[in-house]
Amino acid sequence: MSGGGGGGLGAGFSYQKFVHVALEQTRLRTALAPHPSQEKFKFIKPNEDNTVLNALSFSAPKIRLLRSLTIEQKNSVQVLDFAAFSEPEYDLPIFCANAFTSPARSIVVLDLNPLYDTTEHKDYRGKYYRNLMPLIHKYSELLPWGGKITSESLRFFSPIVIWTILEPTEANHQVLYSAFMDYCKVWLELMDEAVRETSVEKIDRNREAQHKYLTWRAEKDPGYSLLKKLIGECAAKDLVREFLFEGVDSLGTKSFLEYFPEYAQEDGTVNKKRSMIGKSFESRPWDAHGQFIGDAGDG
Ligand code: BLA
């Protein structure tokens, strides 16, 4: 359908298909029920006529929240923000698929974000990522490391993260689709196999870890400024706290600064900077076994 070869953002380019197929795959394994947040955000109206927003959210047994947001501006910007969070009774990673595509480039993060930092928690790394390292070999050539990145983001990424910046061609879009489906299916398999935790202490720990993640993203997500531009500051704030990162106001009571005190300013407010440390990691900071090597690989 997309007009002619040659790459670029053809008319047929859309992340809607990603969402559609991911939901189809999920329904093969579990029963999705509409999440309460869906009502309020389903028909959210952008400021500009040429922009279409699509917001869907569900829950299911084991899945606290599975939600997606797509933004489509005819022949210009295309956005995908897809995530799935388990109930705190499970320590499942968070399925995270984010893509921001402009005519110039696609900025992509695709990962099973760890609930626990995989450098500190080797057992967690072993449990979920050891067997998944082949995914990185499969895509490292076509979806290469995107270069320096906000340093703070790294602790929310796993050794199998795909962080890449691509030319928005049809071919790259196909590769991205394939990787998205692989990661989605892997997450669904992990979800299927997950065994309910019974220790209250461990459940509380899982809940807090998810809350910390939600707190980070609700405050510092790179998409926030575009959302403000598209739907206004108030609606963007609601969308972020009640839809994209729903749970940030209910899963825990700690504040952003309690989790991330390095962002505190003298007057007690949160520093608006995205990063206190700056960007780093020119190349993939994990080795083939998922061991963190930091910037060691750089020349
Ligand atoms: C850029 N988005 C980025 C970058 C990353 C991410 C790593 C590169 C800049 C940087 O290093 O911060 C994505 N970062 C993530 C994700 C996590 C993280 C997913 O820490 C999870 C823990 N991007 C979106 C959405 C929009 C969007 C929904 O996912 C818009 C609504 C936009 N992302 C966007 C834009 C840029 C960007 C405009 C480039 C501008 C910038 O760097 O701020």
Side-chain angles (χ1 to χ4, degrees):
M1 292 288 283
S2 65
L9 285 170
F13 181 100
S14 168
Y15 287 117
Q16 284 286 75
K17 184 182 160 204
F18 286 45
V19 174
H20 183 78
V21 181
L23 293 178
E24 217 170 60
Q25 285 294 324
T26 309
R27 288 196 172 101
L28 292 176
R29 297 188 178 256
T30 189
L32 290 175
H35 187 275
S37 66
Q38 186 158 307
E39 273 318 300
K40 178 167 173 187
F41 294 100
K42 205 170 176 181
F43 300 109
I44 194 160
K45 267 262 160 288
N47 294 334
E48 289 152 55
D49 290 339
N50 67 342
T51 307
V52 178
L53 259 72
N54 246 294
L56 289 172
S57 59
F58 304 92
S59 57
K62 296 188 183 181
I63 304 177
R64 187 183 69 79
L65 173 66
L66 181 153
R67 91 303 185 270
S68 83
L69 174 73
T70 58
I71 303 172
E72 318 202 83
Q73 284 186 314
K74 219 159 180 38
N75 296 316
S76 69
V77 168
Q78 310 276 331
V79 172
L80 171 71
D81 186 339
F82 193 104
F85 305 89
S86 70
E87 294 282 4
E89 282 79 9
Y90 306 88
D91 67 354
L92 278 176
I94 295 155
F95 178 47
C96 162
N98 280 67
F100 170 86
T101 299
S102 70
R105 63 199 175 138
S106 291
I107 301 174
V108 176
V109 172
L110 178 61
D111 194 19
L112 309 187
N113 289 154
L115 208 53
Y116 299 102
D117 184 311
T118 58
T119 308
E120 271 173 57
H121 300 261
K122 303 242 167 16
D123 51 336
Y124 191 81
R125 192 178 90 209
K127 179 174 179 181
Y128 286 117
Y129 300 102
R130 185 178 295 131
N131 297 332
L132 297 178
M133 292 313 293
L135 278 172
I136 278 304
H137 307 299
K138 181 171 176 188
Y139 289 109
S140 63
E141 233 167 87
L142 292 173
L143 303 173
W145 184 256
K148 284 192 178 170
I149 187 167
T150 299
S151 307
E152 285 87 347
S153 289
L154 253 280
R155 66 185 134 180
F156 300 105
F157 290 177
S158 83
I160 61 159
V161 68
I162 291 178
W163 148 241
T164 192
I165 298 180
L166 301 167
E167 237 187 286
T169 62
E170 182 63 33
N172 282 338
H173 190 66
Q174 288 301 326
V175 177
L176 199 57
Y177 175 74
S178 161
F180 173 82
M181 285 319 302
D182 280 355
Y183 278 60
C184 178
K185 285 181 190 163
V186 163
W187 188 83
L188 289 170
E189 269 162 41
L190 294 177
M191 188 269 295
D192 240 7
E193 293 160 8
V195 178
R196 195 181 179 89
E197 182 64 68
T198 51
S199 146
V200 173
E201 204 174 66
K202 286 186 180 162
I203 296 171
D204 285 348
R205 210 167 58 127
N206 291 341
R207 188 183 297 106
E208 176 162 299
Q210 191 174 134
H211 185 247
K212 182 178 182 180
Y213 176 94
L214 294 166
T215 302
W216 168 256
R217 293 201 61 188
E219 184 76 33
K220 295 295 177 192
D221 212 58
Y224 210 159
S225 57
L226 180 69
L227 290 177
K228 285 182 196 162
K229 211 163 69 187
L230 285 177
I231 58 176
E233 183 146 5
C234 260
K237 184 165 176 269
D238 284 356
L239 185 68
V240 161
R241 298 194 75 88
E242 297 172 30
F243 181 82
L244 290 177
F245 307 112
E246 193 276 335
V248 66
D249 293 316
S250 59
L251 288 192
T253 53
K254 279 196 191 167
S255 68
F256 181 84
L257 288 178
E258 286 177 88
Y259 288 127
F260 310 104
E262 64 275 22
Y263 283 83
Q265 303 191 112
E266 275 176 15
D267 64 357
T269 58
V270 176
N271 197 316
K272 290 287 171 226
K273 276 201 243 173
R274 278 256 300 294
S275 175
M276 301 309 294
I277 318 176
K279 293 196 181 194
S280 49
F281 309 111
E282 185 69 48
S283 53
R284 172 171 283 279
W286 293 274
D287 71 11
H289 307 286
Q291 185 116 13
F292 191 70
I293 51 170
D295 268 326
D298 289 352

